[in-house]
Structures are given as structure tokens and as C-alpha cells.
Amino acid sequence: MTIHARQDTGVAPLPELSTVVSSISRDSPRPLIWAYLAVSGAVFVLMMLLGVLMRMAQGGSIVLPPEWFYRVMTLHGVGMVGISGLAGASIMWHFASRHLDLSPKILATNLVLFLAGVLLLFGPVLISGYAAGWTFLYPLPRLSGGVWSQTAAAVHLTGLLLVGVGFLLLHLDVARAIFAKYGSLGRALGWPQLFGRSTEEPPPAAVVASTMVLIVNVLGLVSGAGILVMSIVNLLVPNFEIDALLAKNMIFFFGHVFINATIYMSVIAVYEILPVYAKRPWKVSRVFLAAWTASTVMVVIVYPHHLLMDLAMPAWTRVLGQVVSYASGLPVLLVTAFGGLTLMYRSGVRWDTAASLLFLSLFGWSAGVIPAVIDGTLAMNRVLHNTQWVPGHFHFYLLLGLVSMVFGFMYFSIRQARDGTDNLWDRCAFWGFTIGALGVVLTFLAAGRVGVPRRFAVHLPEWATYSTVGAWFGVVVALAASIFVARFVARLRAPA
Amino acid sequence: MLPPIAWYLTLTGVIALGSIFWIVAAGASHKAPPVSVQTARIRRLCTWALGLLAFPITLASLSYAPLVTEAAIPAGTESVEVVGHQWFWELSQTQVPAGELIEFKVTSADVNHGFAIYDPESRLIAQTQAMPGYTNSLQVRFEEPGTYKILCLEYCGLVHHGMSSTIEVIHSQHAAN
């Protein structure tokens, strides 16, 4: 084991890092988790390259015809959302399985359904020109203007359904294990400790987070499955029409919840791994429990902030969207970011790539809240909605937040299982990733400031600089991520 | 005016937060006892500060929110019917007076579109969604005459980026004539 920490002097003794790590090592990820991570790493890099391709095309550095631009955009969106879910699920499953009797068969089934779903998702895009975006906003899958067929759309949406079913099974298995051990979801969220006078030890962070995720994601996935089935029926029987506003609500509820759940699953890596480096526990306090219960409610009810420009929505839903957007930033900032800062503050940590990535992820998640909350303000949304401000804020907490969490988990896990030290490549990759990701995010936000629309295949000449500069930062991010993945695979192939 | 405010608020917040993370990271390799008592106090202070700030900010921002219902629009307000199609805009009129409240009644004949108005300096000034089966009422008061551009801000298929139109905003007197 090559993780180092400075020795304490004159402070209450804490377990040696090597002891802590070796106890965790007994729970070294099973091969299936390696498979999840390898697939995730490879798809992340591939999707980043697609992102670079789009930015280069917008900047005029390469020629990408609109029909291909929108295909690439659809692949990038659906690929990134799906793979974030898969990577997050691997982190959640790995840590939750220390406390819960989870089924490896269900974990394997989810991966198989995911890969089968990907074939159905990608096939129609690459072969038949399907390009309705990952949001499949009704009735665009059916009304393509003659660009793709109903069959292509139906196959693509079936692929999405298949991926969703896999995740639903995974969460239902987590629910089964939680009921078996804790008896209720409330107990697994620590409600007896939060609302009652229970002096029992609260559930571990991984269980609390897994419970929150299963509650919100089951609701989200059911909503998503519902609108997918309705859309598929609409493709096969055009007379079966759907209310466009209902469809939009169901799609954005599903999309919002699912993408948020990917972060809430991945952040478990921060709660579990950073304490090992700090040699301090991440305490599951009442504040922690309150924050996760509040987040459970807020993630579900905040989704109307995606519909602030749907003026046909009742005004109260749009006010709710803004107010809850403000409130939902607080648990992130006051519990997770603040907790991480105080955990690491003068902890004697010796930074390596895993610790650095996980600490960076806390910054990415919490700093990304700022432009997100601004966009969630009704008056601001009127001039920022669907401009590049939107990819600016979500890349902030997904690229710098979630992706950092996943790569941090990969680095930590592989070093537990295979001996090895970080080298110059790792350090360069970390700084390349950090600087590149900040560049990607800031160029999006700067473009959003001047009203550059998102999802445009062709940009005006005056917008080209933002895209070109963003593309080169994207190249740096993709290179750094390639190094992360290459180092992971190389260590995975080395003898244990 | 609003996008620059959003930009500078974001930059300030990100730099402030980044500085805190940087300072903690830089000093983290030194060892000191855990700071649980101070931590609780600082977190309580932050919670109160953010809570107290959030209340007036929410109230103030909501007073600027585009929440006017159709029923609250003054009688006699000039209205423009807008229909989004793949991939063009159909407007009942393309000339409106400056300085007066204009109501855009926006809908779609096919898929979702985003009706967005850019001023002559290419600044986005207002938008709403154009949805099949619904009419969204967007109120705009154009301060300056000129040619305003309309773009689609909701992805609607192959020629989404090319779905544009213009509105001429003219002096009120011209409109009266």
C-alpha cells in the first residue's frame, strides 16, 4: 500500500491509515465493479471526444453537417447521462454492499440491460439518422421532418426503456435489502435519530444516500418509463396523442431526477474515501440526516425549474421551481462541501490523485450550484434559458463534480487492489483535467452571457471564439481522462 | 443587463469558493486537532447568513419575475400571434411600436420550439416556449426602435439553427400612422 499520511504528534491517536485501508481492502471491488468502471471510463472518454467534435464544428474548425451534428449531440447527451448513471451505480453498490445484502445477479443484469440498451440507442442514430436529442421531447421523435423513420425512433426509445428497466431493478434490489435490514425507508434515512430520541447508531452514509437515491430514482424512472411507453405507442399509433405539456413534465421530472441521482450516488465515494485520507470520520450527524431528507423532498419537487419558460404552467409551479432551487443548494454547500472542507482542514493528508480528484469534485459540485441557482431565478431564466449558460452550469457540477468523483473512486479502488504509486502522468492528468474542465465550463458560461443558443449546429461568426477556445479546453479534458482510464486499465491488468 | 449580473455573480462566487478550497487544500498536509466545535459554530453562522440573505433575494427577484397572467394584461394591449413550424416562424404582424406593451401569443403547429427575441445588439431580451396545443403569453415592451431577431431556442430537428425571423420595432407615431 502506497498511500501516505503524516504522523500525528500530540493528538488523540487515530487508526493508522494502512490499518484503515487494509480493512477496506477486504471489501475490494468485485470484478463486476471493475467491469462497470472500465465501461464507464471508456464511454466517458468517447463522449468527451464527441463533445469536442461539436464545439469544433460550432467554432468552424471542422465541417460537421447539421444532420451529423444533431446525431452527435443526441449520442453525447444520452451517452453521458446513461454512463453517469452506470458509474454512480457502481459506487453506490460497492459501498452499500458493505452494509446491505445486495444481489450481484441484479448488478450483472443491470450491466447487461445497459449494454443491450446502448446497442438499441446508438444503432438508430448511426444507421438511420435518429437525432431527437436525449430529451426525446414529444412529439419530435415522431415529427422529424422526414429525417428519420418512426421505426428508428421506436427502437431508440425502446433502448432507453431497457436501460431504465435495468436501473429500476437495481434500485428495487437496494429497497429489498434495506427493508430486510432496517424494516423501513424512514429508518434507513435515520429518521428515528433525526426526529425521535433514538440513541442508536444512525445508518452509515452509504445507506442513507442509497435510500434517498432509490426513493427519488424509482419515482423518476417510473415517470420516464411511462412517457417512453406513451411515446412508443404514439409512434406506432399516431392517433394516440399525448398532451405536450404533460409529456414535457414527465420527461423533465425523469431527466432531472435521474441526473441528480447520478451525483447523489457518486458522492458516496467522497463520504467513504476522504475520511481514509484525513484519518477522521465523516460523522453521520443529525445535520447530515436532515440534509439528506431535505434533498429527498427537494429533488422531487424542484423539477419545474426546467419549465420556467413554459408560461402555460401555473404560476405557482414556477415560483416553487425558483424557491426550491435556492433551498436545494443549501444541503450541498452546508453539509457536503462544508463537511469535506472541515474534514480535510489540517488533517495531515498527503495528496495523491484519488484524494485530489475527490476534493476537486466537492468544489465542482458546490461551485456549480452558483450558476445553476442563478439560472433557476425566473427573471434570469428569461434571458439565460436554453443559451449556453445551461451546459455551462451542468458541466460545472457534472464534469468537475460527478466525473471527478468517478475517477477519484477508480484511482482509489485500483490502488487498493493493485500496488502502485502515482507518477508524473497522473499529476499532469489531474491538473490537465482541472484546468481543462474549468476552461470548458467558463467558455460555455461566457457564451451564455452573450446569449449564444445551446444545441445549434451552426454558429454565427461572432460566437466562434467561445466554441473554438472551449473545444481546445475540451481536448485537454479528453486527453487527461484518457490518461486516467489508461492508468486504470494498466493497473487492472497487473497482477494483484 | 441581467446576463452580465449573472456572469459577475458567478465569477465572484466561484472565485470565493475556489479560494476557500485552495487554502484548505494547501494547508491540509499540516496536522492539527479536528475543529468540531468551531465547525458547528461556523456552519450555524453560514446557515443563518444564507437563510437571511435568501429571503430578501427571493422576494426581490420574484418582483422582477415574468409572472403576469393573461387576465392581468391591460385591455387594448397590442397582440401578435406567433406560430412555430419546422422550421420557420409565422407572425401575424412583423411591425410593432416601441415603448408600448406587446403581447406575443405563442404556439406551435408541430413540435416544441423556443420563441426568443434578440435586440439589435444581439442581446437576448425575452423568450417563451412554443408548444403544440398551448398558447404561451409573452409580454414585451421594446424600449428602442430597430430590427429585432427571432431565433428558436428549443431543439426542434434538422434546421433548428436556421429557424429565424425578424420584427421591426418602430417609433410609436409611425405605428399610429
Side-chain angles (χ1 to χ4, degrees):
Chain A
M1 176 46 57
T2 51
I3 299 172
H4 306 287
R6 289 191 181 171
Q7 288 303 303
D8 199 356
T9 49
V11 191
L14 284 161
E16 283 296 323
L17 182 62
S18 56
T19 315
V20 178
V21 171
S22 67
S23 73
I24 290 177
S25 297
R26 287 198 296 276
D27 301 324
S28 172
R30 55 178 67 230
L32 211 45
I33 297 293
W34 295 137
Y36 265 73
L37 290 176
V39 170
S40 302
V43 177
F44 269 134
V45 171
L46 190 63
M47 293 301 123
M48 285 170 184
L49 291 174
L50 294 186
V52 168
L53 214 57
M54 283 191 285
R55 293 301 267 157
M56 283 187 164
Q58 288 173 333
S61 310
I62 60 166
V63 177
L64 192 62
E67 62 268 30
W68 270 103
F69 179 93
Y70 292 124
R71 288 190 204 188
V72 169
M73 183 190 83
T74 301
L75 288 181
H76 177 79
V78 76
M80 278 301 192
V81 171
I83 208 62
S84 298
L86 197 80
S90 71
I91 293 172
M92 178 187 75
W93 201 96
H94 172 67
F95 289 111
S97 66
R98 289 184 187 168
H99 314 286
L100 301 170
D101 182 23
L102 299 177
S103 163
K105 283 183 185 166
I106 296 289
L107 184 68
T109 306
N110 182 41
L111 184 60
V112 171
L113 285 174
F114 183 87
L115 294 173
V118 165
L119 288 179
L120 296 183
L121 284 168
F122 281 33
V125 175
L126 295 173
I127 299 166
S128 309
Y130 177 82
W134 87 271
T135 49
F136 59 94
L137 213 49
Y138 173 84
L140 183 57
R142 181 165 61 84
L143 301 178
S144 67
V147 178
W148 60 82
S149 66
Q150 314 286 328
T151 311
V155 172
H156 182 89
L157 297 186
T158 306
L160 265 181
L161 196 58
L162 214 56
V163 171
V165 168
F167 280 108
L168 192 58
L169 284 175
L170 191 80
H171 291 304
L172 290 177
D173 183 53
V174 174
R176 176 199 54 74
I178 283 173
F179 278 109
K181 181 159 180 178
Y182 293 94
S184 73
L185 297 177
R187 290 181 69 82
L189 281 171
W191 285 359
Q193 290 81 4
L194 177 61
F195 299 118
R197 293 184 178 176
S198 172
T199 52
E200 281 178 38
E201 191 72 13
V207 171
V208 174
S210 304
T211 309
M212 178 272 191
V213 169
L214 94 83
I215 292 170
V216 301
N217 232 5
V218 165
L219 293 173
L221 287 164
V222 168
S223 170
I227 188 59
L228 278 168
V229 170
M230 288 158 76
S231 297
I232 292 168
V233 173
N234 170 258
L235 286 164
L236 303 175
V237 187
N239 285 341
F240 175 83
E241 291 193 355
I242 310 168
D243 182 292
L245 191 57
L246 171 70
K248 202 182 245 187
N249 272 269
M250 291 176 78
I251 289 169
F252 280 108
F253 177 70
F254 150 70
H256 167 85
V257 165
F258 188 83
I259 199 64
N260 270 272
T262 65
I263 308 179
Y264 287 103
M265 290 190 279
S266 304
V267 77
I268 297 171
V270 175
Y271 294 145
E272 296 280 349
I273 297 172
L274 277 187
V276 175
Y277 284 90
K279 292 200 288 179
R280 292 169 178 167
W282 194 309
K283 284 170 69 176
V284 178
S285 61
R286 291 181 81 174
V287 174
F288 181 93
L289 295 171
W292 276 86
T293 292
S295 291
T296 309
V297 177
M298 288 192 287
V299 166
V300 171
I301 63 173
V302 76
Y303 86 94
H305 69 188
H306 294 280
L307 304 168
L308 298 182
M309 289 303 110
D310 286 285
L311 306 181
M313 286 283 284
W316 67 265
T317 61
R318 294 188 291 135
V319 173
L320 180 80
Q322 173 178 326
V323 173
V324 182
S325 292
Y326 284 12
S328 62
L330 296 180
V332 177
L333 288 168
L334 294 173
V335 176
T336 302
F338 194 84
L341 285 167
T342 51
L343 181 85
M344 302 310 287
Y345 180 74
R346 292 185 177 261
S347 61
V349 63
R350 186 155 178 182
W351 294 105
D352 66 3
T353 310
S356 304
L357 280 166
L358 291 170
F359 195 67
L360 173 70
S361 75
L362 286 182
F363 165 71
W365 190 17
S366 49
V369 165
I370 299 166
V373 163
I374 288 172
D375 188 33
T377 305
L378 272 155
M380 291 286 192
N381 194 260
R382 185 170 153 115
V383 289
L384 295 176
H385 182 62
N386 277 347
T387 68
Q388 293 205 341
W389 190 270
V390 181
H393 76 64
F394 72 65
H395 277 86
F396 217 133
Y397 47 76
L398 292 175
L399 182 56
L400 276 155
L402 176 136
V403 176
S404 302
M405 290 171 194
V406 174
F407 283 130
F409 175 62
M410 281 171 77
Y411 259 78
F412 182 77
S413 309
I414 198 69
R415 285 187 54 185
Q416 274 181 254
R418 312 277 195 277
D419 217 2
T421 50
D422 286 354
N423 61 23
L424 187 62
W425 282 105
D426 300 303
R427 286 191 287 277
C428 288
F430 170 76
W431 284 109
F433 180 82
T434 306
I435 294 164
L438 277 170
V440 166
V441 165
L442 290 174
T443 45
F444 270 133
L445 290 173
R449 177 194 168 179
V450 296
V452 179
R454 68 186 292 207
R455 295 177 173 149
F456 261 35
V458 181
H459 273 192
L460 297 175
E462 58 263 37
W463 299 337
T465 308
Y466 300 104
S467 316
T468 305
V469 175
W472 284 109
F473 278 118
V475 169
V476 176
V477 171
L479 277 175
S482 306
I483 294 172
F484 291 151
V485 176
R487 293 280 290 153
F488 172 76
V489 172
R491 284 173 170 176
L492 199 58
R493 288 161 60 94
Chain B
M1 186 187 81
L2 289 176
I5 293 175
W7 169 252
Y8 288 114
L9 273 178
T10 298
L11 275 191
T12 307
V14 168
I15 290 170
L17 206 55
S19 304
I20 295 170
F21 272 84
W22 183 266
I23 290 165
V24 170
S29 47
H30 300 290
K31 185 81 182 173
V35 287
S36 52
V37 178
Q38 295 98 309
T39 302
R41 200 175 299 144
I42 295 168
R43 177 150 55 197
R44 209 173 302 130
L45 269 174
C46 290
T47 308
W48 275 105
L50 285 173
L52 287 173
L53 269 176
F55 191 66
I57 289 174
T58 303
L59 281 182
S61 66
L62 283 176
S63 66
Y64 289 100
L67 285 169
V68 182
T69 58
E70 208 158 349
I73 297 169
T77 300
E78 191 164 344
S79 68
V80 179
E81 313 281 336
V82 180
V83 185
H85 300 261
Q86 281 174 316
W87 292 277
F88 64 94
W89 291 108
E90 181 190 349
L91 281 80
S92 61
Q93 63 186 79
T94 53
Q95 232 181 36
V96 294
E100 292 177 21
L101 190 66
I102 308 295
E103 182 194 14
F104 291 94
K105 294 180 174 174
V106 184
T107 188
S108 166
D110 38 52
V111 300
N112 286 272
H113 301 278
F115 177 74
I117 305 171
Y118 285 73
D119 73 9
E121 275 78 46
S122 296
R123 286 179 299 223
L124 174 57
I125 59 165
Q127 64 171 305
T128 186
Q129 291 277 295
M131 295 184 64
Y134 286 88
T135 300
N136 285 329
S137 167
L138 176 71
Q139 298 88 45
V140 182
R141 194 183 299 275
F142 295 99
E143 301 298 340
E144 298 293 332
T147 302
Y148 287 66
K149 199 167 187 177
I150 299 166
L151 293 179
C152 178
L153 285 193
E154 188 63 71
Y155 175 60
C156 57
L158 185 64
V159 196
H160 164 57
H161 56 276
M163 189 174 157
S164 67
S165 186
T166 54
I167 300 175
E168 286 298 326
V169 176
I170 54 176
H171 288 293
S172 284
Q173 277 182 335
H174 294 161
N177 292 337

